[in-house]
Amino acid sequence: AACGLAFSCKFTAVLFPPLLGLAWWTDRWRVLREPPVAAAARVARGMVGFGLVMLLTDLAVTGLAAVPLTHEVGVGHPSVEARLGRWPGLAAAVSRAAEAPMPQDLVGFVTQMQHQKSGGPSYLLGERRMKGWWYYYFVALAVKVPLSLLVLLGARGAVVRGSAWSENRDWFLPLMIAGFLAITAAGSSRNYGVRYLLPLAPLAVVWASSLAERRDWLIGLAWACVAGQALAVASVYPDELTYFNPVAGGRAGGRAVLSDSNLDWGQGLK
């Protein structure tokens, strides 16, 4: 259900099901010593249910809203004809399907995928490109995430010792975060903003929150980082979208690093 809510807000949450399935299969195979084929079958059954709940949640959030992929009804569709011209019957069926109402977020997701294939004007460190940079999101995280959160995550990673990675499944959330970043780095050609990584925020916060159970100096560091988060938000209120950390030189320096929705999204228009 949480993934369905995330997908209704950011389509990049579609990466969670395959990443979760991979992590789950790895856990059953390497930690529980289950045969890989049997583990894959168990995970596949579980992920079918997971996907169904995710879909139903998204439909509930959008109020079962439905729109067609195209508003051109009863006319030719060049993109369909170009790909399926040798099979007129199939081309006609696909064209009718595109004209029929379907879930709103499915249409939005398909549209976004088409946009990713074509690219778009992107900006990074004073340079513009139409196909973006593979390292764009790594730079964006380095300058848009408050330093207190980066320190908190670093401290969380530092407390992992030896076999704890397997015994406590401490690798689970970091693996999903790393997989998410790798896919977005390799597959995104429209670098418009760090907002595409927002689905990672709950994973990072949940993973770091275990520091609250510590009984040493790290608990003090954790509370200091939480206070740092609050100060970071307060420092740019009410224009939180424009936040850049000191690595970028704050808001004044940040505009030389990133642009587009990292700075403004028309939020002041009325």
Side-chain angles (χ1 to χ4, degrees):
C3 279
L5 289 172
F7 182 76
S8 69
C9 299
K10 277 287 169 282
F11 293 145
T12 45
V14 74
L15 297 177
F16 281 152
L19 289 172
L20 177 61
L22 176 62
W24 188 10
W25 175 77
T26 302
D27 178 69
R28 300 201 68 86
W29 173 37
R30 300 302 299 272
V31 179
L32 300 181
R33 304 301 179 184
E34 188 173 342
V37 175
R42 181 186 292 270
V43 169
R45 291 194 297 270
M47 293 310 298
V48 169
F50 181 94
L52 181 60
V53 172
M54 182 177 174
L55 174 62
L56 293 176
T57 302
D58 179 73
L59 291 176
V61 170
T62 57
L64 301 178
V67 294
L69 273 171
T70 176
H71 294 285
E72 298 179 356
V73 180
V75 299
H77 299 284
S79 60
V80 175
E81 294 169 359
R83 293 175 173 82
L84 304 175
R86 290 190 295 176
W87 304 282
L90 179 59
V94 172
S95 296
R96 288 194 298 271
E99 296 170 2
M102 57 185 67
Q104 170 184 288
D105 277 357
L106 176 60
V107 174
F109 176 71
V110 171
T111 303
Q112 285 292 322
M113 292 298 293
Q114 289 295 324
H115 288 169
Q116 285 294 337
K117 289 175 61 177
S118 61
S122 305
Y123 175 90
L124 179 66
L125 296 170
E127 184 182 356
R128 292 187 178 275
R129 290 184 185 178
M130 287 298 294
K131 289 292 186 179
W133 301 260
W134 69 265
Y135 52 86
Y136 176 90
Y137 291 112
F138 298 102
V139 175
L141 286 174
V143 298
K144 290 290 285 183
V145 175
L147 294 182
S148 55
L149 179 56
L150 296 179
V151 170
L152 192 65
L153 293 173
R156 178 64 180 86
V159 301
V160 178
R161 293 290 184 271
S163 61
W165 281 90
S166 59
E167 292 176 357
N168 300 328
R169 295 179 171 85
D170 228 5
W171 55 271
F172 200 92
L173 292 180
L175 177 64
M176 291 192 64
I177 292 172
F180 193 107
L181 288 173
I183 294 172
T184 53
S188 177
S189 60
R190 291 168 70 93
N191 299 152
Y192 286 172
V194 72
R195 58 191 170 92
Y196 289 99
L197 301 182
L198 285 177
L200 290 180
L203 303 187
V205 171
V206 168
W207 189 61
S209 66
S210 66
L211 289 178
E213 300 175 350
R214 303 283 299 188
R215 293 295 181 266
D216 53 18
W217 63 272
L218 283 172
I219 184 65
L221 176 64
W223 281 112
C225 289
V226 171
Q229 284 287 105
L231 289 174
V233 173
S235 69
V236 290
Y237 177 83
D239 303 312
E240 293 87 350
L241 192 63
T242 64
Y243 175 82
F244 282 87
N245 65 33
V247 172
R251 287 190 287 181
R255 65 188 63 191
V257 182
L258 300 172
S259 184
D260 207 272
S261 63
N262 295 294
L263 286 169
D264 184 83
W265 207 358
Q267 66 273 14
L269 296 178
K270 296 183 179 179

